[in-house]
Amino acid sequence: MNKSNIFKNVSLYEIIFSDNGRTITLSFTDTIKGNYFGYIKCSNILGFKLDINSFVDYEDKEDSLFPLFIPEIELYKHQSYSEIIIDVGVVIQISAQIIDYKQS
């Protein structure tokens, strides 16, 4: 297993499901100006876990889940798949055959 930290000090802006649930794309903004930062695309999903730990997403723009500040994202590369873990109280764990990411 190979572990690396990617996308430091970003905000998760949106989660997009496509290809009938086989692909998940996470979009991020920077934490200073809110400009688009990049994405992580997880293809051929093997596992997906989302635990919001009873967080309530209010309609009030001042108190919302998104954008969600993330100090760092961990990427684990195993022999036959990769996995990302975001753990900031809200936990997102995605295992996929292919995980690509790009910063703008």
Side-chain angles (χ1 to χ4, degrees):
M1 176 182 66
N2 183 8
K3 175 186 169 187
S4 58
N5 292 326
I6 59 173
F7 282 39
K8 294 184 180 193
N9 296 321
V10 295
S11 294
L12 176 60
Y13 179 74
E14 125 185 286
I15 301 172
I16 301 168
F17 295 87
S18 58
D19 299 328
N20 293 318
R22 293 186 306 261
T23 300
I24 299 173
T25 304
L26 307 174
S27 297
F28 298 89
T29 58
D30 68 36
T31 57
I32 296 172
K33 293 187 178 182
N35 295 328
Y36 180 75
F37 182 85
Y39 68 87
I40 298 174
K41 183 177 181 180
C42 307
S43 303
N44 300 329
I45 300 298
L46 302 171
F48 174 71
K49 175 184 175 184
L50 172 63
D51 186 352
I52 61 170
N53 291 316
S54 300
F55 185 90
V56 177
D57 192 17
Y58 300 101
E59 291 185 21
D60 180 0
K61 297 288 184 193
E62 299 299 317
D63 190 11
S64 178
L65 179 60
F66 292 98
L68 176 65
F69 173 70
I70 302 168
E72 66 183 6
I73 299 172
E74 297 173 343
L75 172 65
Y76 297 89
K77 291 192 176 189
H78 301 274
Q79 190 171 20
S80 61
Y81 69 97
S82 295
E83 181 174 58
I84 60 168
I85 298 175
I86 298 170
D87 187 354
V88 290
V90 171
V91 178
I92 301 172
Q93 183 174 352
I94 304 172
S95 301
Q97 288 180 335
I98 301 168
I99 297 181
D100 295 318
Y101 59 94
K102 181 176 181 183
Q103 296 179 9
S104 61

